Every structure is written in C-alpha cells, then in structure tokens.
C-alpha cells in the first residue's frame, strides 16, 4: 500500500504517550524501536479514529527525529482494536513518498487493521514471552538453590548463579559441557549417577524425591548436594532434558554428623560411666533414666526404677542430706560433692559423692545427678586412719625413740624419745638434731656414717651418744631409713634405742670376763692379752720384759683355818702390795686361788741388767708380801711369805704358753727350795717344759687315735679266788711304748682332758662288764673304775654314768667307783648327794688310797661307801714297820665297825698277804696276785677260780 514503514503502537488509556509495540520496515520487523515515538498523529488518531497526511509531513513536523529517521513524507493512522479487544492500538503507515492516492489506502484499511492486529498480537506474545523468560531467568538467578539443566546426553544447558558460584565456573564455561565429567568427584561411580539421570529422564524419579549426590568444584573441593529432579519436555511433550534443583547440604550434614557423634559420645559416656548417673523429673522426682553405674551403686536395675521416685525404693539413708540437695538445687540450680549414704537394694549402705544440676530436657526441668561410689575409698580411708591410729599408738608405746628428721631438723618425735632425752616436744621439733649430740664432731661423724650407709644399703645404723637435757649421756643405736630413697632431702625416719643399761651391763660382763672380781686385778684372759701386747712391744723395742709368777706360801693354811673371808682379805691385801711395788705400766694379775702373775716391761736391752732388775723387783714384792697382815681385828697379825718364779722374754720368740710354763716351773723350783724365795727359770728347766708340752699335744690326740687302753688288775680274796678287777688306764704311745697313768693323768687333770678320757674309761669299763656277763667265768666280777675329782664334780656326772651303763646294758651292781679323799673333801654335801644318786642306781663306791689323807671318821660315816682301799704305801713295809702295821690294823678295825669291805693294794709278798689275813683283811690286790693286764690275757686265762659265792658282799662273808 506504499505504507512503509508501519508502526504499531499500543494505546493505553490515560497513559501518554503511546508505547510502540512493533515496527516494520522494508517487509521486516525491526526491534530498534523501543521508546515512544513522538508521534504527533497519535493524538489525532486517538481522537478521530483516523488520520491521513499525504505529503510534506517532514515540513509539518520539522526536527522530529523519528520521522527523520524514517524519511517520512506522509502519514496514515487508524485506531484499531487488537486481538485482546480491550487494547487499543494505533497503526500508522509512514510513507516515504507523498501519497498520491489515499483512496485505496482507505479501502484497504481493514486489511491494514487485520494485519496490524496480527502483528500487534505477535509482538505482544513475543514481549510476554521475553518478559516471562526474563522473569524465569531472574528467579533462577536469585534463588538460593542450585539449578542445573542437562540435555538428554548430560550436557549442561542451564546453570544458575548459585550453581556457578558453588561450582566455581562462569556460566558460559559450563554451558554445553558434560556434567558428569566436569562436575562429579573423580572417585564417584559415574555410571550410577548416569543411571539416576536416566531415571529422571524416564520420569522414574519424582521431583519430590531427594537424591544426595556430591559435586566437585573447580578447586577440587567436594560438596554434598541434595537434588530434586524433574524432566523437561518441549511443546510437544517430548523429554528434552532434566532440570535439577539442589541444596548444598555439606555443612548441614557435617553438623548433623557432628551432632550425631556428639550424641553418641554422650550416650556412650552416660552408659559406660563408672559413676552412677540418673535423671529425675524435678516436678515429681521420678526417674527418667539411669545408667549402669546407678545399677551398680544401688543394686536396682533400670527397669525397676524408671518411673519411680527415690523414696519409692528407699534409697536415701539420711533424709537430711536429701533435703540439703533439694535446697541447693532450689537455691543455686546445682549442688556439688555432697557426701551421701545410700541404701542398696540388698540393704547394704554405700557412701557416695554426689553432684546434681538442673537441666532442661524436652522442655521439662530435670535433675541430672552424677554419683561416685566412694564406699571402698571410705573404707580404705578408715582402714588407713585406723592403721595410722594403730601406728601412732605403736609409735607412742614403742620402747624405742622414733622420729623424723628432715634436713637434720626434728620434724616428729615420739613420747619415748622425749622421755629418754628429757626434752619437751616443743623443745625438739624444728630444732637441729645437733641438740642431742655431745659435740659437733660426733654429730658430723654420725651424719656422715649414717648417710654413707643409707646410700650404700638403704638403711643406716650407727652407735652414738646423746646428751640429755639434764646433761647425762645415753648410749644410742640409731637406725635411719630414708622416706624416699631417691631423694634424701625428703628426710629420714629413725629409731633410737637406748642401750645405756646394756652397755653398762656389757662393761660389767667385760669386767667379769677380764678382771678378777675379788681383787679387781686382770684375770688370766686379760693377762694373756696384755702379755701379747707386751711381747709385741718388746719385739719392737728389743727391750726385755719379765714374767713373775707368785704363790702365797701360807695361804691354804690360813684359808682353811681362818675361813674364806679371811683368806679373801689376804688375797686382796697381797694384790694391793704387789701393785704398789711394781711400776705403773706393769700388769699384776690373779690367775685364781693364791696364784698371781706380774708382767714387767721395759727392762732394757741388756739381758743381765734386765735379770737384775727383775730379781730386784721380785725381792721387793716378796719383802712386801712377807710383812704382817692385819686380817682380823681380834687376832694378832698374820704372816704369809711367797714363792716367786721368774722368766725373761724378748720379742715373741717364746710363746705365751711357754713363758707361763717357764715361770711356773721356776715357781716350783722356788717352792722346792723351801718357799719364801724367788727363782729364775733356767734353760735346764726347758726340757721338762718341752716334753710336757709335747705330752699334752700327744695326749689330746691319743683318745681320737685309739691309743688308750684299759688294763685290768685282779682283786683276790683270801681263798685266792678273783672277785673283781680294777680298770687301769694305759696309753700305748707311738715311740714311747706303754705309758703309765701317773705320767699323763696329772696333766690330763690339769688340762681338762681327764673329762673326755674319763668318759671313755667309763664307757669301756661298762662295755667290759656287759661282755663279762656272757660267761660263767666272769659274770660275777665287779669292775673298779678310778674317778678323778674333776670328773666327779661335773654337774652331770650321775647322768653320764647312768648313760654309760644304759648304753652298754651293764649291770650297775657290777660297777664300783674308786674315789680319792681329795674328791670327797670338796663340797661334801654335793658329794654325798651325788653318791646317793649313784647308789640308788646300784653303783658301789670304794675309798681309794685310804690313809694318805685326812681319813676322818666323821666324813667317812656320812659317805655311802662300800669299800676302803688301804693305800699301798702302808702295805709296802707292813711286815717290818710297826707304825704302818698299826695304821693298817686301825683302818681294819675302823672299817669293820663301819661295816665296810677292805681291800689292801700293793701286795707284792706273801708276808704282806699273810699279815693282812691274820689281821682280818681278806681281799687283796697286788703284783703278788696278778699284775694289770690287757683284756685279751684275761680271756685266755684258764681259770679265774669262779664259783657262785664269789660275788658275795663282806657282810655275807
Ligand atoms: N682317774 C683315773 N686314774 C687312773 C686311771 N687308771 C689309773 N689311774 C690312776 O693312776 C694311778 C697309777 O695307776 P697304775 O700305774 O695303773 O698303778 C696301779 C697299779 O698298777 C699299782 N699296783 C697294783 N699292785 C701293785 C703292787 O703290788 N706294787 C706296786 N708298786 N704297784 C701296784 O697301783 C695302782 C693302782 O692304784 P689305785 O688306783 O690306788 O688302786 C692309780 O693310782 C690311779 O689312781 C683311770 O682310769 N682314771
């Protein structure tokens, strides 16, 4: 129609100017026209419904830029309703050339209207679509969800701002890329995700269903997304892709997991807590939950208590404590470390420490109680307290001082220590231990010694002295042990034992052991000790020393006649005189009885000068001792001379033993010289000493070597019949032949060897008695056994004899013990008692060597004797010496009056035997009738002349 371009503008009533909806030019729709054209004709069209300007429009509307742009020459406008009916549209054709004929245009204005209407509708639709698209896009960009659209192959067709933000890409970078390879984690099973995608496309996955899948961001981080998915269809309903809206739930999941973990932990803590945990509702106190700890503490199971109140199960022992808890909760909302006692289900009482807090659970106020069972701990504490109390009472009552010292300061001391030292507690605690020591030196010494021992052995024990508060000294044994062996600075505990009394006692014992209690002089033991030192000193100095052995000549007589007290006074005074007449360094000792030994030292290196000095001293002492003694008040002075044996020594060439023997030998020389004299030991005496020493050594071994034998000498009656035998000891000493007893018995008595020897004799004799029992020829024989004084006076002598008899099964009736007068003179009471005990066993007694001693009738009468044996010294000259004959007759008469059997020994001649027979003695022993012989000879002896009555006693003769 020559109307080109054409504009369609929309007229909205009451809105100026009109809005251009579409523009066509050269048959094409152009979209540049966005603003309202200042279309001057619109007003006319709006008012008249039509307008037409054929030409010179550009002159009419000069400087209108739109018209200029269109190069418009004319204008045709018509008002028309669009398809929306309500909307008015102005359609304007703008001819570029003047319209020649406006008629056809008017004719075709219907066509124009229709055409413009259609265009106008399309324009509207397009505008609406664009608007919708923009709206959707805006929504997609502004929603907080991740929106992703994929095509059928999984290529990204849409991704919103949130999606780009999450994935770290620009939209343009993502569009068209494969979702699965671009945005999924490397380790994910892509096939699985693709399968999900297929399900979405197939409509198998509803949009309401949520699928959690991870995505990988550009930086490689992994995020978890909760996807809601749907398929996208085109206008024909064909599925063309998928649309997924996702929410980043990474943090939420993490938080959820954290919460779950935390819940698990708390639940676990609740369940496994060793403490009792219970939750009660505040409103009614009912148990809502309890854990295993509660079950263990109370004995009630969870099922038994849930829904119940504590009072229902009577759990509180002290309601006062419960009240305390309730008050604290009401006041503070919590209560901590409340000690309470609970009654267990079985009735036992448990002690516990309880903490409770108010908490809100599901909107309700509850009490959370955590209770620790401290029953065992309490018991242990009580036990510890008891034990401490006991320990304290022990410490208090301990008879030793006990204390703790830290860094040498007293930290604790017990009562005993206070009693011991006289200090009060407050005077010692915190004070240095030095307070108790007599000197710094002793304090330091003890400290060093003690700590050295502690370091080496873990405990230190030292003997020391403490000075008490009153100044007196205590002897102490201090034992210390560290509180912590690895750290001595933590101090030591110590015990202090007061050994003062023990020390004094030891001193006393030492005195007794080393000093003669009567005179206070060193005894034999100390003498030997001093002599050892003297020999060493002499060896060093090469100076001579001397040993002086003294005997008081009249002592025995004074002692016997005036009594022991006077005798003792004599001994004490003699000791004093000796001490005052030797030099200070010399030793005066008493060996026993009236025997003294003096050691003189430092006598110079010249032997003769030493001998002279010794002799001078000896004479001085002898002179002093011979001065009168005022022993009793009443009686006149007594006199007592002394005999002195002297010997020199230098070094220890000569042994102590030999030196004493030398002095002893010299002493006997002095006595032999008529007493009241001093004699030096000379070399000629040495031989005797040596042989004596050799004898002693050999005798010690003789018993063990089996060198001792018993010979048996027959005892014969007046008819020549043997009624018994005397056992006589012989020593078959190698190189010396058969040694007679007189050669070794005195030495054996002196050395004590007589005891084992005597025991051996007794055993051998008893064995022989038993052996004789086996034969008719010997079973009646009585065995006489010699017993020495030392042997008899052993306290267990009776038991020894009895044991020997029993050991061999010997008949006690066949045993006769021969005692000498010296045996029975000493301690007569005890002798009689002992003899009676043996008599009770059946053992007989013979008084040997009768006539040589006191032979007092009075004691003879008291002794339970069976026999007297007249000493051979009276027999020897009996036939020629009238006095011997008289003595023998007297003995025979006396024994007859006492009813005692008499045996005469030493019968060597028929004259002697005859004399004895004529004077009433019918039992004999002597060489005439048979010498002592070994048992073998007894056994081969053809005839002992045995008959039944040979064993009869004298009473029956
Ligand atoms: N404690 C012990 N002392 C014992 C023991 N054995 C002996 N002795 C004592 O030794 C003393 C000497 O004994 P011994 O040398 O055996 O002399 C005895 C006889 O052999 C001797 N005797 C006997 N008959 C005669 C004789 O006719 N002439 C003579 N010259 N001597 C004779 O007399 C001794 C017996 O004496 P006694 O004991 O007094 O009966 C001896 O005295 C015993 O004390 C022993 O085991 N233990």
């Amino acid at each position: 129609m020559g109307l080109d371009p054409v504009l369609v503008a929309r007229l909205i009533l009451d809105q100026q100017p009109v809005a251009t909806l579409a523009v066509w030019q050269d048959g094409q729709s152009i979209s540049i026209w966005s603003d309202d054209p200042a279309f001057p004709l619109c007003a006319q069209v709006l008012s008249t419904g039509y307008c037409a300007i054929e030409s010179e429009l550009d002159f009419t509307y000069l400087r209108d830029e739109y018209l200029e742009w269109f190069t418009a020459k004319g204008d045709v406008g018509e008002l028309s309703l669009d398809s929306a009916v309500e909307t008015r549209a102005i359609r304007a054709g703008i001819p570029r050339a003047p319209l020649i004929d406006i008629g056809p245009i008017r004719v075709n204005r219907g066509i124009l209207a229709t055409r413009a209407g259609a265009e106008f509708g399309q324009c509207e639709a397009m505008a609406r679509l664009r608007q919708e698209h923009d709206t959707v896009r805006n929504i997609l960009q502004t929603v907080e969800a991740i929106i992703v659209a994929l095509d059928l192959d999984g290529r990204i067709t849409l991704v919103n701002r949130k999606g780009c933000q999450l994935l770290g890409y620009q939209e343009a970078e993502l569009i068209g890329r494969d979702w699965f390879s671009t945005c999924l984690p490397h380790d994910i099973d892509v096939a699985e995700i693709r399968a999900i995608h297929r399900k979405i496309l197939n409509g198998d996955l509803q949009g309401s269903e949520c699928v959690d899948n991870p995505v990988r961001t550009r930086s490689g981080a992994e995020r978890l997304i909760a996807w809601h998915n749907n398929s996208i269809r085109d206008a024909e309903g064909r599925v063309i892709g998928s649309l997924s809206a996702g929410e980043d739930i990474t943090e939420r999941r993490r938080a959820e997991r954290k919460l779950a973990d935390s819940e698990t932990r708390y639940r676990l803590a609740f369940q496994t807590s060793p403490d009792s945990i219970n939750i009660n509702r505040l409103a009614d106190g009912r148990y809502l939950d309890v854990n295993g700890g509660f079950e263990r503490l109370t004995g009630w199971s969870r099922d038994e208590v849930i829904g119940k109140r504590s009072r229902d199960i009577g759990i509180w022992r002290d309601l006062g404590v419960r009240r305390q808890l309730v008050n604290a909760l009401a006041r503070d909302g919590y209560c901590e470390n409340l000690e309470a006692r609970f009654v267990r289900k079985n009735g036992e009482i448990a002690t516990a420490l309880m903490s409770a807090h108010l908490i809100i659970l599901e909107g309700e106020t509850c009490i959370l109680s955590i209770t620790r069972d401290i029953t065992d701990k309490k018991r242990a504490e009580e036990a510890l307290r008891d034990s401490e109390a006991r320990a304290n009472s022990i410490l208090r009552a301990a008879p030793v001082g006990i204390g703790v010292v830290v860094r040498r300061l007293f930290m604790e001391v017990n009562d005993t220590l206070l009693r011991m030292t006289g200090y009060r507690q407050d005077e010692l605690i915190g004070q240095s231990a030095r307070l108790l020591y007599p000197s710094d030196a002793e304090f330091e010494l003890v400290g060093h010694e003690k700590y050295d021992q502690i370091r080496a052995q873990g405990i230190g024990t030292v003997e020391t002295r403490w000075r008490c508060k009153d100044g007196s000294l205590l002897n102490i044994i201090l034992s210390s042990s560290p509180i912590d062996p690895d750290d001595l600075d933590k101090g030591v505990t110590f015990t202090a034992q007061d050994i003062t009394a023990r020390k004094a006692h030891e001193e006393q014992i030492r005195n007794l052991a080393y000093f003669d209690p009567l005179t206070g002089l060193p005894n034999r033991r100390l003498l030997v000790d001093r002599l050892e030192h003297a020999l060493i000193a002499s060896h060093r100095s090469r100076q001579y020393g001397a040993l002086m052995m003294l005997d008081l000549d009249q002592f025995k007589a004074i002692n016997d006649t005036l009594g022991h007290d006077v005798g003792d006074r004599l001994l004490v005074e003699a000791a004093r005189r000796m001490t005052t007449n030797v030099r200070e360094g010399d030793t005066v000792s008493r060996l026993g009885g009236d025997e003294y030994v003096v050691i003189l030292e430092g006598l110079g290196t010249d032997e003769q000068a030493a001998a002279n000095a010794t002799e001078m001293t000896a004479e001085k002492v002898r002179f002093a001792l011979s001065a009168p003694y005022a022993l009793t008040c009443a009686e006149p002075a007594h006199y007592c001379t002394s005999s002195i044996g002297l010997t020199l020594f230098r070094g220890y060439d000569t042994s102590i033993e030999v030196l004493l023997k030398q002095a002893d030998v010299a002493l006997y020389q002095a006595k032999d010289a008529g007493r009241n004299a001093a004699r030096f030991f000379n070399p000629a005496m040495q031989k005797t000493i040596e042989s004596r020493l050799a004898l002693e050594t050999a005798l010690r071994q003789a018993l063990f070597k089996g060198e001792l034998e018993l010979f048996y000498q027959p005892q014969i009656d007046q008819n020549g019949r043997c009624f018994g035998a005397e056992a006589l000891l012989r020593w078959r000493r190698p190189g010396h032949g058969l040694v007679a007893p007189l050669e070794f018995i005195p030495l054996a008595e002196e050395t004590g060897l007589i005891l084992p020897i005597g025991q051996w004799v007794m055993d051998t004799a008893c064995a022989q008695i038993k052996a004789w029992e086996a034969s008719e020829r010997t079973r009646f024989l009585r065995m006489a056994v010699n017993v020495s004084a030392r042997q008899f006076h052993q306290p267990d002598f009776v038991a020894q004899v009895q044991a020997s008899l029993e050991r061999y099964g010997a008949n006690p009736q066949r045993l006769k013990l021969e005692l000498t007068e010296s045996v029975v003179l000493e301690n007569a009471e005890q002798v009689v008692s002992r003899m009676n005990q043996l008599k009770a066993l059946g053992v007989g007694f013979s008084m040997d060597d009768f006539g040589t001693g006191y032979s007092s009738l009075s004691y003879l009468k008291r002794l339970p004797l069976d026999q007297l044996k007249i000493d051979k010294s009276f027999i020897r000259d009996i036939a020629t010496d009238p006095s011997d004959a008289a003595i023998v007759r007297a003995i025979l008469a006396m024994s007859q009056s006492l009813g005692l059997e008499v045996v005469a020994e030493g019968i060597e001649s028929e004259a002697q035997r005859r004399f004895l027979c004529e004077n009433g003695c019918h039992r004999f022993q002597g060489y005439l009738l048979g010498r002592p012989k070994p048992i073998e000879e007894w056994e081969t002896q053809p005839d002992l002349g045995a008959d039944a009555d040979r064993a009869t006693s004298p009473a029956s003769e």
Side-chain angles (χ1 to χ4, degrees), residues 282-302:
L282 180 66
D284 56 8
R286 292 186 190 281
Y287 287 100
L288 299 179
D289 202 356
V290 299
N291 73 342
F294 178 91
E295 294 179 328
R296 283 190 295 279
L297 173 70
T298 64
W300 293 96
S301 73
R302 187 176 183 280

PDB file of all heavy atoms in Angstrom, residues 282-302:
ATOM      1  N   LEU A 282      12.043 -32.919  87.819  1.00  0.00           N
ATOM      2  CA  LEU A 282      12.002 -32.083  89.023  1.00  0.00           C
ATOM      3  C   LEU A 282      10.592 -32.071  89.615  1.00  0.00           C
ATOM      4  O   LEU A 282      10.419 -32.125  90.827  1.00  0.00           O
ATOM      5  CB  LEU A 282      12.452 -30.648  88.684  1.00  0.00           C
ATOM      6  CG  LEU A 282      12.460 -29.677  89.856  1.00  0.00           C
ATOM      7  CD1 LEU A 282      13.510 -30.071  90.889  1.00  0.00           C
ATOM      8  CD2 LEU A 282      12.707 -28.250  89.396  1.00  0.00           C
ATOM      9  N   ALA A 283       9.615 -32.047  88.700  1.00  0.00           N
ATOM     10  CA  ALA A 283       8.236 -31.865  89.164  1.00  0.00           C
ATOM     11  C   ALA A 283       7.805 -32.965  90.126  1.00  0.00           C
ATOM     12  O   ALA A 283       7.224 -32.695  91.184  1.00  0.00           O
ATOM     13  CB  ALA A 283       7.305 -31.818  87.957  1.00  0.00           C
ATOM     14  N   ASP A 284       8.110 -34.214  89.786  1.00  0.00           N
ATOM     15  CA  ASP A 284       7.621 -35.297  90.643  1.00  0.00           C
ATOM     16  C   ASP A 284       8.732 -36.212  91.145  1.00  0.00           C
ATOM     17  O   ASP A 284       8.485 -37.179  91.862  1.00  0.00           O
ATOM     18  CB  ASP A 284       6.567 -36.130  89.910  1.00  0.00           C
ATOM     19  CG  ASP A 284       7.100 -36.680  88.595  1.00  0.00           C
ATOM     20  OD1 ASP A 284       8.327 -36.534  88.341  1.00  0.00           O
ATOM     21  OD2 ASP A 284       6.317 -37.248  87.830  1.00  0.00           O
ATOM     22  N   GLY A 285       9.963 -35.914  90.749  1.00  0.00           N
ATOM     23  CA  GLY A 285      11.098 -36.675  91.250  1.00  0.00           C
ATOM     24  C   GLY A 285      11.229 -38.056  90.626  1.00  0.00           C
ATOM     25  O   GLY A 285      12.057 -38.868  91.067  1.00  0.00           O
ATOM     26  N   ARG A 286      10.472 -38.371  89.613  1.00  0.00           N
ATOM     27  CA  ARG A 286      10.506 -39.721  89.057  1.00  0.00           C
ATOM     28  C   ARG A 286      11.751 -39.902  88.180  1.00  0.00           C
ATOM     29  O   ARG A 286      12.186 -38.968  87.495  1.00  0.00           O
ATOM     30  CB  ARG A 286       9.248 -40.012  88.238  1.00  0.00           C
ATOM     31  CG  ARG A 286       8.036 -40.079  89.126  1.00  0.00           C
ATOM     32  CD  ARG A 286       6.785 -40.512  88.412  1.00  0.00           C
ATOM     33  NE  ARG A 286       5.641 -40.321  89.264  1.00  0.00           N
ATOM     34  CZ  ARG A 286       5.300 -41.155  90.255  1.00  0.00           C
ATOM     35  NH1 ARG A 286       5.999 -42.245  90.476  1.00  0.00           N
ATOM     36  NH2 ARG A 286       4.246 -40.902  91.013  1.00  0.00           N
ATOM     37  N   TYR A 287      12.266 -41.134  88.227  1.00  0.00           N
ATOM     38  CA  TYR A 287      13.447 -41.455  87.422  1.00  0.00           C
ATOM     39  C   TYR A 287      13.059 -41.496  85.957  1.00  0.00           C
ATOM     40  O   TYR A 287      12.107 -42.190  85.581  1.00  0.00           O
ATOM     41  CB  TYR A 287      14.023 -42.811  87.817  1.00  0.00           C
ATOM     42  CG  TYR A 287      14.729 -42.801  89.156  1.00  0.00           C
ATOM     43  CD1 TYR A 287      14.105 -43.262  90.303  1.00  0.00           C
ATOM     44  CD2 TYR A 287      16.042 -42.320  89.262  1.00  0.00           C
ATOM     45  CE1 TYR A 287      14.747 -43.248  91.524  1.00  0.00           C
ATOM     46  CE2 TYR A 287      16.691 -42.306  90.483  1.00  0.00           C
ATOM     47  CZ  TYR A 287      16.048 -42.758  91.611  1.00  0.00           C
ATOM     48  OH  TYR A 287      16.691 -42.752  92.805  1.00  0.00           O
ATOM     49  N   LEU A 288      13.806 -40.741  85.138  1.00  0.00           N
ATOM     50  CA  LEU A 288      13.581 -40.796  83.695  1.00  0.00           C
ATOM     51  C   LEU A 288      14.602 -41.707  83.028  1.00  0.00           C
ATOM     52  O   LEU A 288      14.322 -42.380  82.068  1.00  0.00           O
ATOM     53  CB  LEU A 288      13.673 -39.391  83.097  1.00  0.00           C
ATOM     54  CG  LEU A 288      12.656 -38.378  83.633  1.00  0.00           C
ATOM     55  CD1 LEU A 288      12.869 -37.032  82.972  1.00  0.00           C
ATOM     56  CD2 LEU A 288      11.235 -38.861  83.374  1.00  0.00           C
ATOM     57  N   ASP A 289      15.776 -41.687  83.573  1.00  0.00           N
ATOM     58  CA  ASP A 289      16.811 -42.558  83.005  1.00  0.00           C
ATOM     59  C   ASP A 289      17.886 -42.795  84.069  1.00  0.00           C
ATOM     60  O   ASP A 289      18.141 -41.916  84.908  1.00  0.00           O
ATOM     61  CB  ASP A 289      17.447 -41.909  81.769  1.00  0.00           C
ATOM     62  CG  ASP A 289      18.091 -42.949  80.860  1.00  0.00           C
ATOM     63  OD1 ASP A 289      18.101 -44.147  81.243  1.00  0.00           O
ATOM     64  OD2 ASP A 289      18.561 -42.578  79.767  1.00  0.00           O
ATOM     65  N   VAL A 290      18.477 -43.972  84.028  1.00  0.00           N
ATOM     66  CA  VAL A 290      19.615 -44.260  84.910  1.00  0.00           C
ATOM     67  C   VAL A 290      20.608 -45.065  84.087  1.00  0.00           C
ATOM     68  O   VAL A 290      20.211 -45.749  83.144  1.00  0.00           O
ATOM     69  CB  VAL A 290      19.217 -45.074  86.168  1.00  0.00           C
ATOM     70  CG1 VAL A 290      18.226 -44.324  87.014  1.00  0.00           C
ATOM     71  CG2 VAL A 290      18.703 -46.453  85.808  1.00  0.00           C
ATOM     72  N   ASN A 291      21.850 -44.986  84.456  1.00  0.00           N
ATOM     73  CA  ASN A 291      22.849 -45.749  83.696  1.00  0.00           C
ATOM     74  C   ASN A 291      23.306 -46.978  84.488  1.00  0.00           C
ATOM     75  O   ASN A 291      22.806 -47.262  85.591  1.00  0.00           O
ATOM     76  CB  ASN A 291      24.037 -44.850  83.333  1.00  0.00           C
ATOM     77  CG  ASN A 291      24.908 -44.549  84.550  1.00  0.00           C
ATOM     78  OD1 ASN A 291      24.462 -44.717  85.682  1.00  0.00           O
ATOM     79  ND2 ASN A 291      26.122 -44.107  84.315  1.00  0.00           N
ATOM     80  N   GLY A 292      24.282 -47.696  83.900  1.00  0.00           N
ATOM     81  CA  GLY A 292      24.787 -48.913  84.550  1.00  0.00           C
ATOM     82  C   GLY A 292      25.436 -48.611  85.883  1.00  0.00           C
ATOM     83  O   GLY A 292      25.397 -49.423  86.807  1.00  0.00           O
ATOM     84  N   GLY A 293      26.074 -47.425  85.956  1.00  0.00           N
ATOM     85  CA  GLY A 293      26.721 -47.033  87.214  1.00  0.00           C
ATOM     86  C   GLY A 293      25.698 -46.952  88.335  1.00  0.00           C
ATOM     87  O   GLY A 293      25.968 -47.335  89.480  1.00  0.00           O
ATOM     88  N   PHE A 294      24.519 -46.453  88.009  1.00  0.00           N
ATOM     89  CA  PHE A 294      23.448 -46.361  89.009  1.00  0.00           C
ATOM     90  C   PHE A 294      23.057 -47.775  89.471  1.00  0.00           C
ATOM     91  O   PHE A 294      22.887 -48.031  90.663  1.00  0.00           O
ATOM     92  CB  PHE A 294      22.239 -45.658  88.384  1.00  0.00           C
ATOM     93  CG  PHE A 294      21.039 -45.544  89.299  1.00  0.00           C
ATOM     94  CD1 PHE A 294      20.867 -44.439  90.105  1.00  0.00           C
ATOM     95  CD2 PHE A 294      20.098 -46.566  89.362  1.00  0.00           C
ATOM     96  CE1 PHE A 294      19.768 -44.345  90.954  1.00  0.00           C
ATOM     97  CE2 PHE A 294      18.998 -46.489  90.201  1.00  0.00           C
ATOM     98  CZ  PHE A 294      18.829 -45.375  91.002  1.00  0.00           C
ATOM     99  N   GLU A 295      22.954 -48.682  88.472  1.00  0.00           N
ATOM    100  CA  GLU A 295      22.576 -50.064  88.808  1.00  0.00           C
ATOM    101  C   GLU A 295      23.611 -50.690  89.732  1.00  0.00           C
ATOM    102  O   GLU A 295      23.274 -51.376  90.688  1.00  0.00           O
ATOM    103  CB  GLU A 295      22.427 -50.886  87.519  1.00  0.00           C
ATOM    104  CG  GLU A 295      21.273 -50.408  86.657  1.00  0.00           C
ATOM    105  CD  GLU A 295      21.128 -51.193  85.365  1.00  0.00           C
ATOM    106  OE1 GLU A 295      22.153 -51.653  84.827  1.00  0.00           O
ATOM    107  OE2 GLU A 295      19.999 -51.348  84.907  1.00  0.00           O
ATOM    108  N   ARG A 296      24.872 -50.409  89.429  1.00  0.00           N
ATOM    109  CA  ARG A 296      25.930 -50.975  90.266  1.00  0.00           C
ATOM    110  C   ARG A 296      25.914 -50.364  91.654  1.00  0.00           C
ATOM    111  O   ARG A 296      26.101 -51.048  92.649  1.00  0.00           O
ATOM    112  CB  ARG A 296      27.300 -50.746  89.613  1.00  0.00           C
ATOM    113  CG  ARG A 296      27.598 -51.672  88.458  1.00  0.00           C
ATOM    114  CD  ARG A 296      29.054 -51.550  88.037  1.00  0.00           C
ATOM    115  NE  ARG A 296      29.367 -50.234  87.506  1.00  0.00           N
ATOM    116  CZ  ARG A 296      29.112 -49.853  86.254  1.00  0.00           C
ATOM    117  NH1 ARG A 296      28.540 -50.693  85.419  1.00  0.00           N
ATOM    118  NH2 ARG A 296      29.425 -48.639  85.832  1.00  0.00           N
ATOM    119  N   LEU A 297      25.695 -49.064  91.719  1.00  0.00           N
ATOM    120  CA  LEU A 297      25.730 -48.385  93.018  1.00  0.00           C
ATOM    121  C   LEU A 297      24.565 -48.819  93.909  1.00  0.00           C
ATOM    122  O   LEU A 297      24.747 -49.099  95.094  1.00  0.00           O
ATOM    123  CB  LEU A 297      25.695 -46.869  92.819  1.00  0.00           C
ATOM    124  CG  LEU A 297      25.565 -46.030  94.093  1.00  0.00           C
ATOM    125  CD1 LEU A 297      26.845 -46.097  94.912  1.00  0.00           C
ATOM    126  CD2 LEU A 297      25.248 -44.582  93.766  1.00  0.00           C
ATOM    127  N   THR A 298      23.378 -48.874  93.294  1.00  0.00           N
ATOM    128  CA  THR A 298      22.187 -49.090  94.129  1.00  0.00           C
ATOM    129  C   THR A 298      21.724 -50.539  94.167  1.00  0.00           C
ATOM    130  O   THR A 298      20.994 -50.936  95.068  1.00  0.00           O
ATOM    131  CB  THR A 298      21.017 -48.257  93.594  1.00  0.00           C
ATOM    132  OG1 THR A 298      20.697 -48.736  92.282  1.00  0.00           O
ATOM    133  CG2 THR A 298      21.365 -46.784  93.527  1.00  0.00           C
ATOM    134  N   GLY A 299      22.107 -51.285  93.135  1.00  0.00           N
ATOM    135  CA  GLY A 299      21.618 -52.666  93.060  1.00  0.00           C
ATOM    136  C   GLY A 299      20.255 -52.746  92.375  1.00  0.00           C
ATOM    137  O   GLY A 299      19.751 -53.833  92.117  1.00  0.00           O
ATOM    138  N   TRP A 300      19.670 -51.577  92.070  1.00  0.00           N
ATOM    139  CA  TRP A 300      18.379 -51.560  91.373  1.00  0.00           C
ATOM    140  C   TRP A 300      18.640 -51.511  89.872  1.00  0.00           C
ATOM    141  O   TRP A 300      19.493 -50.752  89.415  1.00  0.00           O
ATOM    142  CB  TRP A 300      17.557 -50.316  91.770  1.00  0.00           C
ATOM    143  CG  TRP A 300      17.121 -50.323  93.204  1.00  0.00           C
ATOM    144  CD1 TRP A 300      17.731 -49.722  94.248  1.00  0.00           C
ATOM    145  CD2 TRP A 300      15.954 -50.965  93.735  1.00  0.00           C
ATOM    146  NE1 TRP A 300      17.056 -49.940  95.409  1.00  0.00           N
ATOM    147  CE2 TRP A 300      15.933 -50.712  95.126  1.00  0.00           C
ATOM    148  CE3 TRP A 300      14.932 -51.727  93.186  1.00  0.00           C
ATOM    149  CZ2 TRP A 300      14.937 -51.185  95.961  1.00  0.00           C
ATOM    150  CZ3 TRP A 300      13.930 -52.200  94.029  1.00  0.00           C
ATOM    151  CH2 TRP A 300      13.944 -51.935  95.395  1.00  0.00           C
ATOM    152  N   SER A 301      17.833 -52.283  89.090  1.00  0.00           N
ATOM    153  CA  SER A 301      18.020 -52.252  87.642  1.00  0.00           C
ATOM    154  C   SER A 301      17.254 -51.050  87.071  1.00  0.00           C
ATOM    155  O   SER A 301      16.361 -50.497  87.725  1.00  0.00           O
ATOM    156  CB  SER A 301      17.501 -53.538  87.008  1.00  0.00           C
ATOM    157  OG  SER A 301      16.096 -53.532  87.026  1.00  0.00           O
ATOM    158  N   ARG A 302      17.626 -50.700  85.852  1.00  0.00           N
ATOM    159  CA  ARG A 302      16.992 -49.556  85.183  1.00  0.00           C
ATOM    160  C   ARG A 302      15.490 -49.760  85.105  1.00  0.00           C
ATOM    161  O   ARG A 302      14.710 -48.872  85.421  1.00  0.00           O
ATOM    162  CB  ARG A 302      17.606 -49.419  83.784  1.00  0.00           C
ATOM    163  CG  ARG A 302      17.176 -48.200  83.034  1.00  0.00           C
ATOM    164  CD  ARG A 302      17.909 -48.095  81.699  1.00  0.00           C
ATOM    165  NE  ARG A 302      17.535 -46.876  81.028  1.00  0.00           N
ATOM    166  CZ  ARG A 302      16.421 -46.714  80.343  1.00  0.00           C
ATOM    167  NH1 ARG A 302      15.560 -47.718  80.221  1.00  0.00           N
ATOM    168  NH2 ARG A 302      16.144 -45.554  79.785  1.00  0.00           N
TER     169      ARG A 302
END
